[in-house]
């Protein structure tokens, strides 16, 4: 049955916001469901005034300014990363909290003060479970709430509620900082200055499993002519089949492509470059070495590029993601450096060092300086212009500056800017935005949307080795996520049932639903226990008349490979066969059939234990006669019915006699050599020492 509860909205702004969110396209829904900060198709410009009363990340070090370099909203937690060291609480208390700050947006309190990293954080992405995050940067050690310092080279998975470091999620061997992260479904893409991952050559761009951290070596492309911070922007398409990057290299995989690249990632085992190229026209946005940041629109149709550090390249540009030689959609002169850019489907938000930018091409409000320097490169030597003090919003289709100028007082400029479901997060060096003291992180907050979650139910039923999960449909939702034991399992689409074949054990299933920017998990009832596959398998052992042994066993559903073990030792891999025969000789033998399905090893003991009693071989003698010339003559008794004898000296083969010969002259004899006559009759090996 389809269910939906319509919430009561208490403020006009939230009404507008909620209506816009309900109308989101499927592409945006896929983007939000992946957990990239939430819904990003805003109803319009974010407020001019940032939210007050959050803890203040201080920029108060002597020398170089300290900055927020990465920022995101994951669940209810605002996460800031950078090279800052100190945070001021609301009562004025100063807290040493270097490189990583986590704030609960519900209470505006600083949390996880016992979660520490040992160097700067440059990138943030949602983790595989609710209220978890992946952080990347220059750090090598991370300490969680348990006080244990753990080695986590450049990347780590943290829990925002328990303030802990995941103990098993480890990506080893990264030898350079991680500057960008992008997530879709269970795939996590890394961009940075590394050249190795897990001991393998893998430069600048890599992929790991979001769930386990396992490295995908197929995502490996050679970058040439790259600068430090080679990848400055990265996103996965809503469908999960394309990866876009904004980069500072001259070529990738031997193909000339400066500034942007798009990869076909639909097959994780064989990713490839597409034909996307930036225009080769002599436009300033082709100054790839001055690119500072890149962003993709939520529908993955546009790429925003922020340039800086030289007047000739102080442009913001938008190009299409078409998989051909790209054409410039528009380019706007900012008159000074732009360091950060973030796109909605309608707006390009930009931050940097600029203070007065070009007008047009559409009607433009001039406005006035705000919260920052009254002069900068952009206000001197240029006619006209519109005041936008280190923060600007441009029309996504034309580049026209919109009427939005909160401004900040950064010395270097804004660095981090992220569009999230509730508004816009900005990171910079400085402490004021719109003349409000915010510290180096500011939050332009629409306000949390009303919670649309419904009274959804879900059931889980064991059927042999399978678990059948079924749940209620929710109006407006076209795709659900199935989770087992709080880990991502599958996205079955617009269906209300799913069959899983889990490892043996106890499992709790959840259905994750996202609607109107709110994500929730419905627990499936009851918790189920799946018996080991071996509980469904039997095996019998039979002694045959010729003293061979045949074991026969039943199949395990879904298994097509079995190993045979005798008395605890491997004997054979018999594939999908359900029987095996061998002649092990005399002795007492217990057989086991071993299989491995769904990550679990199953050992089925064959019954009964078999005793093989083969008669002792007949007595045999062998004599050695030294001929005095470096040879010896061996003479031995015949064994009835046997006509093949093998001569061995000092445990090494010399000769095999197959015509019933009972003597042999061995050359090359030296004092102390020992001789054995070996025969095999009725499956029994006989070794007779010659004396």
């Amino acid at each position: 049955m389809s269910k939906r509860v319509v919430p009561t909205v208490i403020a006009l702004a939230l009404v507008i916001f909620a209506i816009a969110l309900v109308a989101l396209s499927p592409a945006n829904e896929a983007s939000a469901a992946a957990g990239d900060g939430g819904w990003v198709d805003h109803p319009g410009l974010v407020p001019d005034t940032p939210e007050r009363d959050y803890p203040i990340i201080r920029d108060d070090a002597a020398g170089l300014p300290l900055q927020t370099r990465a920022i995101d909203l994951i669940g209810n937690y605002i996460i800031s990363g950078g090279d800052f060291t100190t945070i001021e609480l609301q009562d004025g208390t100063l807290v040493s909290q270097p490189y990583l700050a986590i704030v609960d947006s519900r209470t505006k309190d600083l949390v996880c003060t016992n979660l520490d990293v040992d160097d700067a954080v440059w990138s943030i992405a949602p983790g595989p479970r609710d209220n978890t995050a992946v952080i990347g940067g220059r750090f090598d050690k991370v300490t969680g709430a348990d006080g244990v310092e753990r080695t986590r080279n450049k990347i780590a998975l943290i829990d925002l509620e328990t303030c802990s470091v995941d103990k098993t999620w480890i990506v080893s061997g990264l030898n350079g900082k991680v500057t960008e992260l992008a997530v879709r479904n269970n795939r996590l893409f890394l961009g940075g200055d590394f050249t190795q991952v897990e001991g393998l050559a893998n430069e600048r761009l890599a992929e790991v499993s979001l769930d386990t951290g396992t490295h995908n070596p197929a995502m490996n492309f050679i970058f040439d002519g790259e600068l430090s911070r080679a990848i400055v922007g990265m996103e996965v398409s809503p469908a999960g089949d394309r990866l876009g990057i904004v980069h500072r290299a001259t070529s990738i995989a031997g193909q000339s492509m400066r500034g942007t690249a798009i990869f076909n990632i639909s097959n994780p085992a064989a990713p490839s470059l597409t034909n996307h190229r930036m225009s080769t026209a002599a436009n300033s946005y082709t100054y790839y070495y001055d690119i500072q940041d890149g962003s993709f629109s939520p529908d993955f149709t546009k790429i925003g590029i922020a340039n800086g550090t030289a007047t000739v390249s102080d442009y913001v540009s938008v190009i299409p993601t078409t998989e051909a030689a790209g054409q410039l959609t528009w380019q706007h002169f900012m008159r000074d450096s732009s360091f950060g850019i973030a796109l909605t489907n309608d707006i390009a938000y930009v931050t940097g060092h600029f203070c007065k930018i070009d007008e047009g091409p559409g009607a433009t409000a001039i406005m006035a300086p705000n919260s920052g320097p009254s002069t900068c490169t952009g206000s001197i030597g240029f006619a006209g212009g519109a005041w936008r003090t280190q923060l600007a919003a441009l029309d996504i289709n034309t580049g026209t500056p919109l009427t939005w100028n909160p401004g900040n007082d950064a010395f270097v400029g804004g660095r981090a800017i992220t569009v999230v479901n509730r508004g816009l997060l900005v990171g910079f060096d400085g402490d004021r935005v719109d003349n409000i003291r915010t510290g180096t992180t500011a939050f332009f907050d629409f306000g949390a949307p009303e919670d649309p979650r419904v009274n959804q139910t879900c059931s889980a039923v064991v059927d042999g080795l399978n678990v059948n999960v079924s749940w209620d449909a929710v109006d407006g939702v076209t795709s659900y996520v199935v989770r087992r034991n709080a880990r991502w399992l599958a996205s079955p689409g617009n269906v209300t049932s799913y069959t899983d074949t889990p490892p043996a054990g106890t499992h709790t299933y959840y259905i994750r639903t996202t609607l109107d920017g709110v994500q929730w998990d419905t627990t499936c009832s009851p918790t189920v226990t799946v018996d080991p596959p071996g509980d469904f398998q039997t095996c019998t052992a039979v002694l045959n008349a010729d003293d061979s042994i045949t074991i026969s066993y039943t199949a395990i559903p879904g298994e097509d490979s079995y190993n045979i073990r005798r008395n605890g030792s491997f004997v054979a891999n018999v594939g999908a066969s359900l029987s095996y025969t061998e002649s092990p000789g005399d002795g007492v033998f217990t057989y086991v059939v071993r299989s491995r399905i769904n990550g679990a090893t199953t050992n089925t003991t064959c019954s009964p234990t078999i005793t093989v009693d083969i008669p002792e071989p007949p007595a045999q003698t062998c004599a050695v006669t030294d001929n005095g010339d470096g040879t010896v003559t061996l003479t031995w008794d015949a064994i009835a019915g046997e006509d093949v004898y093998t001569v061995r000296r000092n445990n090494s083969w010399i000769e095999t006699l197959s015509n019933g010969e009972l003597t042999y002259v061995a050359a090359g004899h030296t004092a102390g050599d020992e001789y054995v006559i070996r025969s095999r009759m009725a499956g029994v090996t006989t070794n007779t020492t010659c004396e």
Side-chain angles (χ1 to χ4, degrees), residues 54 63 104 132 148 171-172 285 368 387 390 417 425 436 452 515 576:
Y54 278 98
D104 189 326
T132 62
V148 177
V171 181
S172 62
Y285 77 99
W387 290 101
Q390 305 190 113
I417 187 165
L425 290 162
I436 296 171
L515 182 66

Side-chain angles (χ1 to χ4, degrees), residues 460-469 482-485 487-489 498-509 526-534 536 556-558 596-602:
V461 178
V462 177
D463 180 15
L465 297 178
N466 299 322
V467 177
N468 297 321
V469 184
V482 182
R483 297 167 73 85
R484 183 205 309 136
N485 300 335
R487 289 188 176 270
W488 184 90
L489 185 64
Y498 180 78
T499 298
D500 182 35
T501 307
T506 300
H507 305 289
T508 301
Y509 287 83
T527 295
V528 296
T529 299
V530 177
D531 294 327
F536 299 90
I556 294 178
R596 184 173 178 84
I597 187 168
N598 300 330
T601 298
T602 298

Side-chain angles (χ1 to χ4, degrees), residues 556-582:
I556 294 178
E559 181 60 283
D560 58 4
S561 181
Y562 302 94
N563 291 335
I564 309 302
R565 299 175 67 83
R566 181 197 331 117
N567 294 349
S569 298
F570 172 83
V571 175
N573 187 321
V574 294
S577 175
L578 298 179
S579 66
Y580 177 74
T581 300
E582 69 163 3

Side-chain angles (χ1 to χ4, degrees), residues 158-366:
I158 60 175
D159 190 300
L160 306 174
E161 291 191 316
T162 64
C163 306
S164 60
V165 184
D166 193 287
K167 298 177 182 178
T168 60
W169 197 95
I170 300 173
V171 181
S172 62
L174 282 163
N175 60 349
K177 67 178 178 286
V178 174
T179 58
E180 294 291 330
L181 295 168
V183 169
R184 187 69 64 206
N185 296 330
N186 197 35
R187 305 175 72 179
L188 173 65
F189 295 89
L190 290 61
D193 293 340
F194 52 84
T195 58
Q196 291 184 342
V197 183
E198 292 189 347
L200 301 175
N202 195 161
E203 63 175 57
R204 311 305 182 193
L205 178 65
E207 178 188 353
V208 301
S209 165
L210 181 64
D211 191 45
T212 65
T214 304
H215 176 224
N216 176 14
M219 193 69 195
N220 193 349
F221 295 85
I222 302 299
F223 285 69
D224 287 315
E226 69 271 29
L227 305 177
S228 174
R229 207 164 60 92
I231 296 178
V232 298
M234 185 161 59
E235 186 56 84
V236 185
S237 65
D241 61 345
R242 295 292 187 270
L243 171 70
I245 66 170
V246 179
H247 65 93
R248 295 163 15 121
T250 57
S251 68
I252 302 174
Q255 300 184 43
S256 178
M257 52 175 63
R258 303 183 182 200
T260 63
I262 295 178
F263 300 83
N264 182 337
I265 58 170
S266 55
N267 180 1
S272 61
L273 276 167
T274 71
N275 291 324
H276 169 86
R277 299 290 187 278
M278 287 177 64
S279 171
T280 57
N283 294 312
S284 61
Y285 77 99
T286 60
Y287 289 106
Y288 74 98
Y289 42 81
D290 282 340
I291 293 175
Q292 299 299 313
D293 195 20
S295 179
F296 290 76
S297 61
D299 59 12
F300 205 73
T301 62
K302 302 176 184 69
I303 308 173
I305 303 169
N307 278 34
T309 74
T311 302
V312 295
S313 63
D314 287 338
Y315 286 82
V316 168
S317 311
V318 166
I319 67 171
T321 57
T322 51
E323 294 180 2
Q327 296 299 314
L328 181 66
T329 301
W330 57 260
Q331 166 181 80
H332 198 84
F333 189 41
M334 306 298 285
R335 303 185 178 183
D336 210 332
S337 296
S338 299
F339 297 131
I341 185 168
L343 305 185
T344 71
N345 282 335
D346 301 310
I347 301 168
Y349 290 100
V350 186
T351 187
H353 186 61
F354 53 83
C355 65
K356 201 174 191 186
I357 67 177
D358 272 8
E359 301 175 47
T364 306
I366 303 305

Side-chain angles (χ1 to χ4, degrees), residues 363-436:
T364 306
I366 303 305
M367 306 192 80
N370 192 6
S371 292
S374 60
T375 62
C376 67
T377 302
S379 63
I380 300 173
F382 294 92
W387 290 101
R388 299 294 187 270
T389 311
Q390 305 190 113
L391 283 168
L394 309 179
D395 183 280
I396 195 70
N397 296 308
T398 66
T400 300
L402 303 177
T403 306
W404 185 77
N405 182 31
N408 67 47
D409 65 349
F411 175 74
V412 173
R415 286 288 185 181
I417 187 165
T418 306
V419 172
V420 297
N421 63 326
R422 286 172 53 177
L424 185 71
L425 290 162
V426 177
F428 59 105
D429 66 289
D431 71 349
R432 290 186 180 274
V433 174
D434 196 26
N435 294 300
I436 296 171

Side-chain angles (χ1 to χ4, degrees), residues 417-553:
I417 187 165
T418 306
V419 172
V420 297
N421 63 326
R422 286 172 53 177
L424 185 71
L425 290 162
V426 177
F428 59 105
D429 66 289
D431 71 349
R432 290 186 180 274
V433 174
D434 196 26
N435 294 300
I436 296 171
R437 189 164 178 258
T438 62
T440 68
T441 291
F443 185 16
F444 297 93
D445 190 2
F446 279 120
E450 290 288 328
D451 190 344
R453 72 186 67 203
V454 298
N455 185 25
Q456 189 181 31
T457 63
C458 175
S459 64
V461 178
V462 177
D463 180 15
L465 297 178
N466 299 322
V467 177
N468 297 321
V469 184
S470 58
W471 58 92
D472 295 327
V474 176
D475 288 347
V477 176
T478 59
S479 185
Y480 302 88
V481 175
V482 182
R483 297 167 73 85
R484 183 205 309 136
N485 300 335
R487 289 188 176 270
W488 184 90
L489 185 64
S491 297
N494 191 18
V495 297
T496 57
S497 63
Y498 180 78
T499 298
D500 182 35
T501 307
T506 300
H507 305 289
T508 301
Y509 287 83
Y510 306 85
I511 300 303
R512 172 163 291 180
T513 307
T514 303
L515 182 66
D516 295 354
V518 177
Q519 183 181 82
W520 72 90
D521 288 343
T522 298
T523 303
C524 303
S525 181
T527 295
V528 296
T529 299
V530 177
D531 294 327
D535 289 0
F536 299 90
Q537 187 179 42
T538 60
C539 178
T540 59
V542 175
L543 176 63
N544 303 313
D546 62 354
D547 289 328
S548 64
I549 299 173
T550 297
I551 61 172
S552 303
Y553 40 93

